[in-house]
Amino acid sequence: MTLVQISLATGFALIFLGLYGALSNRNILRMIVSFTIASTGVNLVLVAVGYLPGREAPILDTIPVASAAERITDPVPQALVLTAIVIGLGVTALMLAYAYRLFRARGSLDISDFTELKW
Amino acid sequence: MTTRMAIPLVLVALLGTVFFALFSSYTPDASLNLTASYYADQTVPETGAQNIVTAIIVTYRGLDTLGEVTVLFLTAAIVGLVLSQSKAPSAHAGAGGLPSGELLQTGARMLVPVILLFGAYVFINGHLTPGGGFQGGAIVASAMLLMLLADPAERFSHGLISKIESSAGLTYVILGLLGLLFAGGFLDNKILPLGTFGSIFSAGAIPLIYVLVGLKVGAEFSSILTSLEETEDAE
Amino acid sequence: MIGLTILGAVLALASLSAAVLALLARSTLVAVLAAGLVSLFASVMFLLLAAPDVAMTEAAIGSGLTTFLFIFVMGRIRREGTQ
Amino acid sequence: MVNPLLILAAGLGAAFLLGLLRETSERAAFHTTVGALAVMAFVALSWTVALASGQTDPVEMLTAGAKPPFAINLRTGIAEAALTSVVTLTGLLSAFFMRRDLLRLGRRAMAVLLVLIMALSGLIMTRDLFNMFVFLELIVIATAGLVLLSKDTRALAAGFKYLVVSQVISILLLIGIIFTYHANGSLNIDDISEVPMGANGASLAMFLVLIALILELKPFPANGWALDIYESAHPGFSAIFSAASGSAALFAVYKVLAMAGPDWALLAAGIGIVTFVGANLLALAQTHDRRLLGYSSVGQIGLILLVIGFADRLGDSFLYIAGGLLVSHAIAKAGLFWLSGMVKARDLSDWAALRENPVLVVLFAVFIAMLTGLPPFPAFYAKWSFVHVLATDGAYSLMAVFLIAALIEATVLFRWFGMALKRSSGHSLHISLTGEAIALIAAALAIAVSWVWGNLSGQENLITLVPLLFALLFLPLDILPARIKNVLAIAGLVFWFAVTKNGLDPLRYVFLIIMVLGGAILLLASFHATGRRMGFYTPALLMFAGMGLLVTSETSFQFFAAWEFLTVGSYFLILRGQDSEPHALSYITFSLGGAFALLAGFAIAANGAPTFPIENLSEVPSRIAPYVFVLLAAGFLTKTAVMGLHIWLPGAHAEAETDVSPMVSGILLKAGLFGLFVLLMEMGRQELFGVDLTIVLVWLGALSAFIGAVLSAFQEDAKRLLAYSSISQMGYAVFGLALMNHLGWLLALMFAINHFVYKSMLFLAVGGVKERTHTKLMYKMGGLITLMPFTFVSVLVGIIAMSGVPPLSGFGGRWIFYNAIMSTDLRLPMILIFMAGPVGFLYLFRLIHTIFLGQLKDELRLTKEAPFWILLPQMLFVGFLLSFAILPGMILRRVDSYIGTLFGDTPLVWTGKIVDSQYGTWNPVAIWGVIATVFVVVFILLIWMNHNAQKVKQFNIVFSAERPFKPQTTHFAWNFFAPYRKAMGFLETPVATSFWSGVSNMLHGTADFTRKLYTGNGQTYAVQLLFFVIAVYLIAMGGLS
């Protein structure tokens, strides 16, 4: 296994674990924790997909501009991941605020207690 | 194992097969693809930034970043809304029972300015070195966090935070529109001269935008943190 | 190259075990901290993958701020739960 | 023209600006918000107008001074501009609607609203895959924020469920995006579409992107979370969620599908149709108004997804069809959500409160009609075109599924409308002038887009049709007294008759007389009504407009549009009756079902053309002709209420108002007959599986005639009796038509005219009796002959005419009828139809006997003669019947020679007023002479025989000591035909009724069972979502490999 494959596999495994945790844990906070694990996995997958084995970070302080195309790794996924991380934090914060309010409303953090809306 | 646990497992495992198909058919590229090699070659002449990721984030995919900043803005606003709607019972303050003592308070008073400075350094140098507005903003927010931890009773001025956040955001949008008017399009960084490659005042509007992003993100993180921490509502 | 791969494998193992811990831990606090750890290990992996920007962000935001958000909310909930 | 990017910049800038305002100045913040939304809407609209009128070309907006795919680019073409207009306008109007709650929550909520509208516009315009993800996340977060506007505490849980589901979706989307990027080296949508789909990995990536975006459309059954939001959110926000978010997400799917290539289109179409069917089915079991609207939204979006799946096939008309459906959905759904904000309680029947404000009722009707796809709204044109495309492709089963689901949807919506009009609500209306104004603006927009779609249709622009406008004119005129409106209405009908009568062939001319002039005559009875009679004239004139247009229509499109007009108009009219709610619903359900059969028939017959002249029905290729015939005949037979499809008729006709019953019975039924005339004239005999379809019609006609008569005889309710009699009479007419010969057609036409005259007369007479006695039950009447002599005369003349005994015109019908059936060799139906005659005597006898003869009831002793205006048309009809009896040649002769030109024979020989046929001679004048003589002789004889008979006082009766269990059982009219019932009662077994209620129960049962899927648990919803993804994946992989 190469580094890329390891990272990719780790990423997918984290998504797998995170999703499973989010779908099987009734506790709302634990669901949110699981989702953060899954999104870490997603980020890992994103970066790994853009990685070119043996290449350097896309910062041209030591790399001459002329040879940049041969030496740096793909910067695009990195840019995307940056965005994804920040968005992930936003969503997590929002879910946490919701969790708090739900707890205030019912005194419970069990997702199966919030089912008045149905059918 | 109950069915409640088993069904998600089966489903996630099935989804795993989809992922496995993706994984097994994946081969890393040997050379940069079209888009990436354009960035490798053109970032410097077009934007004057050393850090290509920064150039992409601030310029080429600037709209994403504007959206990203807006995500935080939204989150801060909504978290504020969610929590302001419920008047929490007044209780003794404290960050979830984390210790706060004399040592921490003194330490915080000394550390906060340093951390703030470091944060500013990170976002100002975003176009040269790793880091930038988001990382710098997060560092700035951690100074805020430290203050919260040290003295949980301390009130931050929501007004100030939201003023910083809003004016940074507004300036960002205006800079974007200036690009539309004076340069090649919305959020074009060439509204300012590109300057000398590798120096602080280079890369056109990138440092300026990253400073704005840093301020804004710092303010937003701080606002989220303080809303979540405060036991009584400021409003 | 081999060194990188081995380091990567170690980090992968570490972050996966942290993730499993986060799922299995009885205490939510432990779960939150374990999730933060996953994020931290991931950020080192980003460094290996030549993504220092991402690594910084993940460390600061993913493992730092996120964990604090959790702890703050849990604190609020615990305070109110005991009343 | 300003750069459309300003839409994004204005939204964001204003959102940030709000933070700089002083904390206390919430009003200023609101004005800023509204101002920004207005700017955004203005920019979007100006681009829409400019692009639509061809003043500008679509514009590419580059960012960052670099070309795509290296920098994000956006595009504004006509679709984008129109959709951003929908989004921004919905946002603007909803902002006004939510004003109070926005002010309550403060500027943070306003900022969230601004960002939501901005992000929706961005999602529409962007051409970058990852940028789409960013906008989607913004939408998710803003949605979760705005859900909190609701005062309903359950909204909190709904918002959280939504976030959970969104997390799963964004994981799928991100993975899909990165692998797409890896495969294509680009994130630009146009770039990716140019490269054909790569290896398995790439197609999988595409699948993930596609399914993630489709999940944003809330496909059935992975959509419980969305329904919870619809149910609990602020109605102003739900309007945005349904109209704006739905539109934007649809467009995102469209962009990605274009990128994914045609292989995936089928998948999208499949998900679309499943969603459309599933959502509408589940809506059947819904009683909560907003949840119902949620189901309807999901269904509509599914339908548009289906159309998107056909985008390649539709070519140029794609935007027209999808846009028509989308804009109808958006306006109607937003309007309904806004209305729901003014209704205080959440049960469907609580919408009865709307009746406090007639304007709101009209708006409700407009939105329902728009959603159902009735003319003249855009969805009508869209459905027409779409069904035609499906037919051209030979996708018949899809077409059937689509039409059945559309019918269920219409049933759900009209059931709701019926409740609003007929039930009572314990809550008053939450009147809000702003809300009303906003809903009115939505209705005005509805009319504007209808005009646009009509103009683009390449067909007649329905909204400019004079009869329709005339009918709509009565909406504002409704403040006038009823009598003035009645004068106007009659004048309008006479005028319309005068201007359209020229150039029609005799057959159409006869129908025009019945439908338009007949309507004018029947409206005379409406002078009886006092006060304003709000809401009567628009539906009535809509119905007459439909009929007038039907007779003069030349193309299949005009015919179908007219058909829908008359159906809807008559529905509203029938709904006015006191206890008519369930009957009106079954009427509209059957009528629309019939209409959809017509649509399908026309679409198949069109063979690829958008429409065709009606007379080209004769040129339909023989391969498809029998199917076209069956579909069209089914549509028309529904209207004539043939046995089996008749169960809507008795209730609808019996429960309608006094002057409405004759309209819907005497006139409206003729529309079906007219259709059959046209159909048989153009298509003639058709064979399907070796069966001559006209023989099937002969049988259906005979059975209807016979069973209708038997059922009629057993009724206790006088109006129901007449209603069943109509089924029987229409059976005769169908029978005659299906004989496919000269005499048969003449018979059918005679029945059309006669049935109009005597059924209108009888319904008016019985209606007059009901006005005075306040009952329709015959055993409660009796002996009214002295109190209501004129009514008695009209009933007497009516039943003489109807039973076909000499001397009245019914005999002429009979005479032709006997001639006609002698000319056929179908023995069994002939016997049936013969037997229907005597059974007809039974119920007619009962009508006159139990109402007018026998003993007068004590409580009816003060009964007066029916009102003048109800009597007047009856007397006109009496006069007509008498003269028509003497001079049948007036009309018949012309028609006879016309039919002769169709069949090329002249079985009747007219000499003066005497008619000869192969089987005999009919001399009406001589018959009159004979009858008059006999009558006078018998009359004198009777007087002479009874000159010394004893007069008995009416109540000179000695009762026995028994006290009857049920008072009515002592009346002779109760269970009048008990002995016959013993013999023929088995015919009363409600076979058709049980069949149809079985269908209905099965659907409701399925709906009730299936919706248990939505447990309300957010985690379960996420599991269902994954399940959906996996299922679609397995299906797709199976399909693609």
Side-chain angles (χ1 to χ4, degrees):
Chain A
M1 293 248 278
T2 62
L3 180 60
V4 174
Q5 281 176 326
I6 289 173
S7 320
L8 213 52
T10 314
F12 280 133
L14 287 177
I15 298 174
F16 180 91
L17 288 172
L19 269 185
Y20 175 66
L23 296 186
S24 61
N25 246 320
R26 278 196 195 164
N27 184 313
I28 289 177
L29 282 179
R30 298 296 286 264
M31 286 175 72
I32 306 176
V33 172
S34 304
F35 274 126
T36 63
I37 293 176
S39 39
T40 308
V42 171
N43 295 339
L44 205 52
V45 171
L46 256 65
V47 174
V49 166
Y51 180 65
L52 279 67
R55 293 204 178 198
E56 293 169 51
I59 298 173
L60 306 184
D61 47 357
T62 53
I63 306 170
V65 177
S67 63
E70 281 75 48
R71 290 183 55 186
I72 63 164
T73 183
D74 190 343
V76 178
Q78 299 191 12
L80 304 188
V81 175
L82 272 187
T83 310
I85 290 175
V86 175
I87 290 176
L89 174 79
V91 176
T92 306
L94 196 58
M95 288 182 89
L96 281 172
Y98 258 101
Y100 171 68
R101 274 292 296 277
L102 286 173
F103 179 76
R104 285 283 309 264
R106 189 67 46 89
S108 157
L109 278 173
D110 189 334
I111 182 92
S112 54
D113 283 344
F114 299 91
T115 55
E116 310 99 320
L117 289 168
K118 56 185 167 188
W119 301 342
Chain B
M1 184 177 260
T2 61
T3 47
R4 190 175 63 81
M5 314 281 274
I7 292 174
L9 191 65
V10 171
L11 281 176
V12 175
L14 280 170
L15 191 67
T17 63
V18 180
F19 289 159
F20 185 75
L22 280 173
F23 173 76
S24 57
S25 65
Y26 171 81
T27 42
D29 288 343
S31 60
L32 292 182
N33 59 37
L34 180 75
T35 320
S37 52
Y38 176 88
Y39 292 137
D41 296 333
Q42 300 296 320
T43 300
V44 173
E46 277 191 7
T47 68
Q50 271 188 4
N51 185 340
I52 298 180
V53 178
T54 299
I56 294 176
I57 286 189
V58 178
T59 306
Y60 295 117
R61 307 195 63 85
L63 201 59
D64 279 354
T65 309
L66 188 56
E68 193 180 346
V69 173
T70 314
V71 165
L72 286 182
F73 168 76
L74 266 187
T75 310
I78 296 170
V79 169
L81 262 182
V82 170
L83 298 179
S84 73
Q85 278 184 327
S86 64
K87 279 266 179 257
S90 58
H92 72 90
L98 285 184
S100 97
E102 193 74 20
L103 187 69
L104 193 58
Q105 287 193 7
T106 331
R109 245 172 239 135
M110 286 166 60
L111 272 177
V112 165
V114 179
I115 297 178
L116 283 177
L117 262 182
F118 178 58
Y121 174 82
V122 170
F123 54 67
I124 289 173
N125 278 298
H127 58 302
L128 303 174
T129 57
F134 293 101
Q135 298 89 333
I139 293 169
V140 167
S142 66
M144 213 56 85
L145 183 68
L146 198 60
M147 279 155 72
L148 267 179
L149 290 179
D151 186 4
E154 184 159 352
R155 286 275 160 275
F156 289 96
S157 164
H158 272 280
L160 180 66
I161 291 179
S162 107
K163 288 266 178 335
I164 294 177
E165 183 185 354
S166 296
S167 27
L170 202 56
T171 322
Y172 193 178
V173 174
I174 291 172
L175 276 182
L177 287 176
L178 286 180
L180 203 59
L181 288 178
F182 300 116
F186 192 70
L187 286 170
D188 192 343
N189 72 319
K190 289 187 283 291
I191 48 172
L192 294 176
L194 294 185
T196 328
F197 179 64
S199 69
I200 289 276
F201 296 106
S202 64
I206 289 181
L208 188 55
I209 290 177
Y210 243 2
V211 168
L212 291 173
V213 171
L215 283 176
K216 188 163 167 55
V217 169
E220 278 154 355
F221 281 152
S222 312
S223 144
I224 295 172
L225 282 171
T226 48
S227 324
L228 279 178
E229 164 56 13
E230 277 167 11
T231 37
E232 279 161 309
D233 297 285
E235 289 158 50
Chain C
M1 278 310 279
I2 297 293
L4 272 185
T5 311
I6 292 171
L7 190 53
V10 172
L11 283 169
L13 273 181
S15 59
L16 285 180
S17 4
V20 171
L21 177 65
L23 291 195
L24 296 182
R26 270 173 192 272
S27 141
T28 309
L29 186 65
V30 174
V32 168
L33 292 176
L37 215 55
V38 173
S39 206
L40 207 59
F41 290 131
S43 83
V44 182
M45 288 186 86
F46 290 144
L47 267 185
L48 299 187
L49 292 169
D53 279 285
V54 180
M56 271 178 83
T57 317
E58 180 76 41
I61 295 177
S63 64
L65 281 174
T66 309
T67 311
F68 273 102
L69 289 181
F70 271 106
I71 289 175
F72 282 6
V73 170
M74 282 161 59
R76 281 186 90 140
I77 285 177
R78 194 167 56 209
R79 278 201 302 280
E80 285 179 30
T82 53
Q83 278 173 5
Chain D
M1 297 294 293
V2 290
N3 194 316
L5 267 178
L6 196 72
I7 296 174
L8 306 187
L12 264 185
F16 293 144
L17 187 65
L18 290 179
L20 293 178
L21 297 174
R22 274 191 297 129
E23 288 272 350
T24 48
S25 48
E26 302 296 11
R27 272 172 198 287
F30 182 73
H31 292 142
T32 313
T33 309
V34 169
L37 286 171
V39 169
M40 294 158 80
F42 173 77
V43 175
L45 278 175
S46 63
W47 274 93
T48 313
V49 171
L51 284 164
S53 60
Q55 288 166 19
T56 46
D57 291 326
V59 59
E60 289 284 335
M61 291 159 285
L62 307 181
T63 65
K67 282 208 173 341
F70 311 115
I72 295 170
N73 66 322
L74 300 95
R75 177 178 302 157
T76 297
I78 179 71
E80 285 92 345
L83 283 173
T84 35
S85 305
V86 169
V87 166
T88 48
L89 275 178
T90 316
L92 179 64
L93 293 175
S94 261
F96 278 114
F97 190 84
M98 300 188 288
R99 183 167 176 274
R100 277 220 334 240
D101 296 276
L102 285 174
L103 286 176
R104 176 170 58 86
L105 287 183
R107 57 199 176 164
R108 283 186 292 206
M110 300 176 205
V112 176
L113 174 65
L114 277 170
V115 172
L116 175 64
I117 301 300
M118 183 286 298
L120 289 171
S121 312
L123 182 64
I124 293 168
M125 292 193 287
T126 185
R127 302 301 296 175
D128 185 279
L129 204 49
F130 189 77
N131 198 230
M132 251 163 74
F133 166 76
V134 174
F135 281 125
L136 265 180
E137 289 297 305
L138 275 173
I139 292 165
V140 166
I141 295 175
T143 301
L146 287 176
V147 166
L148 296 172
L149 278 175
S150 169
K151 286 175 186 152
D152 188 339
T153 47
R154 300 173 305 168
L156 206 59
F160 188 75
K161 293 174 200 174
Y162 177 59
L163 282 174
V164 169
V165 168
S166 302
Q167 283 274 36
V168 179
I169 295 178
S170 56
I171 290 171
L172 297 175
L173 185 56
L174 272 177
I175 300 285
I177 287 177
I178 197 66
F179 279 95
T180 307
Y181 169 74
H182 181 72
N184 294 278
S186 169
L187 286 168
N188 185 279
I189 289 175
D190 304 298
D191 250 24
I192 300 173
S193 357
E194 277 172 23
V195 185
M197 212 164 14
N200 186 32
S203 75
L204 242 182
M206 194 52 81
F207 166 75
L208 287 175
V209 173
L210 194 60
I211 199 76
L213 286 172
I214 284 179
L215 285 172
E216 291 285 346
L217 300 180
K218 307 124 194 163
F220 172 82
N223 54 7
W225 44 280
L227 297 168
D228 290 352
I229 289 191
Y230 279 122
E231 182 170 345
S232 62
H234 190 290
F237 171 70
S238 293
I240 298 179
F241 190 58
S242 173
S245 305
S247 310
L250 271 170
F251 195 69
V253 169
Y254 170 63
K255 285 195 280 195
V256 172
L257 261 184
M259 183 173 85
D263 290 354
W264 296 99
L266 192 62
L267 192 66
I271 295 174
I273 188 73
V274 168
T275 302
F276 185 56
V277 174
N280 285 322
L281 187 62
L282 291 205
L284 270 178
Q286 226 14 266
T287 54
H288 188 284
D289 59 347
R290 288 182 189 151
R291 201 169 178 90
L292 178 79
L293 284 175
Y295 279 110
S296 164
S297 293
V298 168
Q300 287 290 322
I301 288 178
L303 172 59
I304 301 167
L305 182 62
L306 169 68
V307 175
I308 290 178
F310 272 81
D312 273 355
R313 174 63 193 75
L314 298 175
D316 293 339
S317 60
F318 166 68
L319 283 183
Y320 180 72
I321 294 176
L325 291 173
L326 188 68
V327 80
S328 301
H329 157 70
I331 294 179
K333 210 51 68 65
L336 287 172
F337 271 117
W338 287 327
L339 285 186
S340 91
M342 288 180 250
V343 178
K344 269 183 192 152
R346 295 275 64 88
D347 197 80
L348 291 184
S349 54
D350 287 316
W351 282 60
L354 283 187
R355 290 208 302 277
E356 286 170 30
N357 185 337
V359 176
L360 294 184
V361 175
V362 172
L363 290 176
F364 189 31
V366 166
F367 295 140
I368 293 270
M370 191 171 195
L371 210 51
T372 324
L374 295 174
F377 298 107
F380 173 75
Y381 300 100
K383 275 186 184 160
W384 173 268
S385 309
F386 188 55
V387 169
H388 275 67
V389 170
L390 290 182
T392 313
D393 280 10
Y396 298 129
S397 42
L398 182 61
M399 182 166 82
V401 173
F402 163 67
L403 288 175
I404 289 171
L407 183 60
I408 294 178
E409 180 183 38
T411 308
V412 169
L413 293 171
F414 278 105
R415 182 189 59 166
W416 182 15
F417 186 79
M419 286 182 183
L421 243 58
K422 306 311 295 186
R423 301 280 171 93
S424 58
S425 166
H427 304 265
S428 61
L429 205 57
H430 180 79
I431 294 272
S432 131
L433 272 186
T434 331
E436 198 174 333
I438 290 168
L440 267 174
I441 293 174
L445 287 173
I447 290 167
V449 293
S450 303
W451 184 80
V452 171
W453 253 259
N455 249 3
L456 293 173
S457 65
Q459 322 267 11
E460 207 155 19
N461 194 345
L462 298 175
I463 206 157
T464 57
L465 288 178
V466 176
L468 175 67
L469 292 176
F470 184 65
L472 294 182
L473 177 71
F474 282 84
L475 286 179
L477 290 185
D478 244 358
I479 45 168
L480 295 178
R483 300 229 160 128
I484 297 181
K485 287 185 284 191
N486 210 30
V487 171
L488 273 176
I490 292 174
L493 285 178
V494 172
F495 175 78
W496 188 249
F497 174 76
V499 294
T500 48
K501 71 182 197 312
N502 297 321
L504 290 181
D505 58 51
L507 184 73
R508 288 189 161 78
Y509 190 56
V510 169
F511 276 100
L512 188 75
I513 293 176
I514 295 176
M515 291 176 173
V516 177
L517 272 192
I521 294 171
L522 284 181
L523 274 176
L524 288 176
S526 305
F527 275 118
H528 164 60
T530 50
R532 284 188 186 154
R533 209 171 188 205
M534 301 267 258
F536 171 75
Y537 286 95
T538 304
L541 287 168
L542 194 59
M543 177 178 85
F544 287 122
M547 289 193 287
L549 291 168
L550 187 74
V551 176
T552 53
S553 64
E554 280 158 8
T555 67
S556 58
F557 178 80
Q558 291 170 333
F559 191 96
F560 183 64
W563 190 267
E564 297 259 81
F565 279 133
L566 70 89
T567 300
V568 180
S570 53
Y571 162 74
F572 289 133
L573 213 50
I574 288 172
L575 189 57
R576 292 179 53 84
Q578 202 163 21
D579 301 312
S580 62
E581 186 200 327
H583 308 295
L585 180 63
S586 103
Y587 169 66
I588 190 78
T589 307
F590 274 91
S591 293
L592 285 179
F596 287 161
L598 289 189
L599 174 56
F602 282 141
I604 294 173
N607 219 351
T611 179
F612 62 92
I614 289 286
E615 67 227 32
N616 283 10
L617 271 178
S618 52
E619 289 155 26
V620 172
S622 59
R623 180 177 50 84
I624 48 174
Y627 300 98
V628 172
F629 184 92
V630 167
L631 285 168
L632 295 183
F636 297 134
L637 288 174
T638 314
K639 201 56 129 199
T640 60
V642 75
M643 246 326 125
L645 297 172
H646 70 285
I647 67 164
W648 57 270
L649 185 139
H653 286 187
E655 298 302 334
E657 290 172 301
T658 300
D659 54 346
V660 171
S661 293
M663 288 180 194
V664 292
S665 175
I667 301 183
L668 188 62
L669 289 175
K670 306 302 172 302
L673 212 51
F674 174 71
L676 282 174
F677 257 112
V678 172
L679 176 69
L680 287 167
M681 195 178 342
E682 303 298 349
M683 299 195 75
R685 288 177 189 274
Q686 297 288 340
E687 274 197 14
L688 186 64
F689 305 125
V691 180
D692 186 340
L693 292 171
T694 47
I695 294 189
V696 177
L697 282 184
V698 166
W699 271 100
L700 286 174
L703 280 172
S704 300
F706 180 67
I707 301 180
V710 171
L711 291 179
S712 181
F714 295 148
Q715 299 305 313
E716 302 291 348
D717 177 324
K719 284 180 93 170
R720 277 187 102 85
L721 181 151
L722 290 176
Y724 274 107
S725 146
S726 291
I727 298 177
S728 171
Q729 299 285 315
M730 285 297 107
Y732 279 108
V734 171
F735 178 87
L737 268 178
L739 288 179
M740 289 303 288
N741 60 30
H742 186 122
L743 286 172
W745 281 42
L746 201 57
L747 158 74
L749 203 66
M750 278 289 284
F751 260 103
I753 301 168
N754 282 333
H755 181 258
F756 159 64
V757 175
Y758 51 65
K759 200 46 72 62
S760 305
M761 214 164 95
L762 288 173
F763 259 122
L764 277 177
V766 170
V769 171
K770 193 211 151 204
E771 293 279 318
R772 292 305 193 210
T773 63
H774 305 291
T775 179
K776 296 180 290 178
L777 298 174
M778 287 181 285
Y779 57 79
K780 292 191 176 167
M781 306 173 190
L784 291 174
I785 179 166
T786 48
L787 299 176
M788 306 181 84
F790 287 102
T791 310
F792 169 72
V793 167
S794 95
V795 172
L796 181 66
V797 171
I799 67 170
I800 291 176
M802 191 155 143
S803 57
V805 291
L808 294 184
S809 68
F811 174 71
R814 267 314 131 143
W815 186 79
I816 297 175
F817 165 70
Y818 291 127
N819 280 311
I821 56 177
M822 293 305 279
S823 62
T824 174
D825 39 84
L826 292 163
R827 293 298 160 206
L828 210 51
M830 201 175 90
I831 293 169
L832 264 182
I833 210 127
F834 262 122
M835 279 161 60
V839 181
F841 281 119
L842 291 182
Y843 66 75
L844 291 173
F845 167 69
R846 184 168 187 209
L847 195 65
I848 197 145
H849 186 140
T850 55
I851 296 181
F852 294 100
L853 308 179
Q855 283 196 3
L856 183 65
K857 286 251 169 177
D858 198 22
E859 60 270 25
L860 296 181
R861 270 198 288 178
L862 296 178
T863 308
K864 287 186 287 188
E865 175 57 284
F868 169 75
W869 287 108
I870 293 183
L871 279 177
L872 177 67
Q874 295 178 44
M875 293 303 117
L876 290 177
F877 287 132
V878 168
F880 173 81
L881 276 178
L882 293 178
S883 51
F884 188 54
I886 306 174
L887 305 166
M890 278 194 314
I891 299 173
L892 273 189
R893 200 165 173 177
R894 261 185 79 191
V895 178
D896 181 51
S897 65
Y898 175 69
I899 294 177
T901 63
L902 298 176
F903 287 100
D905 60 358
T906 47
L908 296 184
V909 183
W910 302 72
T911 33
K913 291 180 177 56
I914 301 162
V915 194
D916 280 296
S917 83
Q918 190 186 341
Y919 307 101
T921 305
W922 174 29
N923 184 342
V925 183
I927 288 176
W928 255 107
V930 173
I931 295 290
T933 317
V934 171
F935 182 78
V936 171
V937 169
V938 172
F939 191 64
I940 293 171
L941 202 66
L942 281 174
I943 290 177
W944 179 74
M945 280 167 64
N946 290 318
H947 67 280
N948 52 4
Q950 190 193 348
K951 274 209 164 186
V952 181
K953 281 266 160 54
Q954 193 160 18
F955 292 97
N956 184 4
I957 295 173
V958 180
F959 282 103
S960 65
E962 255 178 292
R963 191 164 168 278
F965 165 62
K966 272 182 175 170
Q968 69 264 32
T969 53
T970 59
H971 193 279
F972 75 96
W974 168 255
N975 205 3
F976 198 68
F977 287 120
Y980 295 93
R981 189 171 247 141
K982 265 187 195 155
M984 294 194 288
F986 69 94
L987 289 173
E988 239 191 336
T989 329
V991 182
T993 313
S994 346
F995 172 75
W996 289 113
S997 62
V999 169
S1000 159
N1001 288 341
M1002 189 195 72
L1003 289 176
H1004 275 93
T1006 316
D1008 226 16
F1009 179 74
T1010 316
R1011 73 191 185 126
K1012 296 280 189 285
L1013 203 66
Y1014 301 130
T1015 58
N1017 186 328
Q1019 209 159 34
T1020 315
Y1021 289 165
V1023 169
Q1024 286 165 357
L1025 193 86
L1026 267 192
F1027 185 79
F1028 179 80
V1029 173
I1030 307 276
V1032 174
Y1033 169 72
L1034 293 177
I1035 293 169
M1037 290 302 130
L1040 285 180
S1041 61

